[in-house]
Amino acid sequence: MALDFKNIKSADLFLPGLVQQVFNKYQRTDGSSLSAAERAQLFTELTALLGEDLLERALRLLDEWAIIIYYTPDRLRRIVELVSKRNSAHVMRILPGINYCKCRYFQRCVLQLLEDQEATSSTESDCIAFTCEHVLAQRLHELLNRVPREQILTLEQFKYFHEDVYFD
């Protein structure tokens, strides 16, 4: 299953379009799961686009974190919560379909925001990335898991979770 470069629009030639094309290619509408060969090919393609390190961190999150999808009562809006199974105080919330996360890696490597102390004396190598492991893990979870954990929230609860996505 190679990428179909003949039918790519010029706007899709950038990394976000290519990543979306990979996810679209493996999306199942009939409820079936990916075969082992399809999973291997998916991981190969994502590694080529995003790097092995990021994919490994996202897969580790799928193993070590619980993922819960919260909906509004009308089920029109949702927030995904990732909770560490080792430390339930370690929580990350993201909005599906939006490439944003408030984690330090996303802020530093995707948005290229440097903290004052990092700007003057950075010991880490320069980091440039398209996304973080939290966003990638959420997308992989959505693609690979047919029965996600879900919960309906009141509008007030949902508003609190939504605000938490952006505020530290």
Side-chain angles (χ1 to χ4, degrees), residues 83-144:
V83 182
S84 172
K85 293 176 183 175
R86 293 182 187 166
N87 179 359
S88 61
H90 197 162
V91 174
M92 193 62 61
R93 294 186 182 108
I94 58 175
L95 300 171
I98 298 176
N99 187 33
Y100 176 79
C101 184
K102 68 180 184 180
C103 74
R104 186 172 188 268
Y105 180 86
F106 194 95
Q107 301 299 309
R108 187 174 45 85
C109 299
V110 178
L111 298 179
Q112 299 292 302
L113 299 175
L114 296 177
E115 297 172 5
D116 291 337
Q117 46 191 253
E118 285 182 300
T120 56
S121 63
S122 177
T123 58
E124 299 172 336
S125 62
D126 291 333
C127 176
I128 298 174
F130 166 68
T131 195
C132 70
E133 64 267 24
H134 304 102
V135 173
L136 184 56
Q138 180 272 319
R139 294 198 67 187
L140 287 168
H141 181 267
E142 187 174 19
L143 183 68
L144 301 174

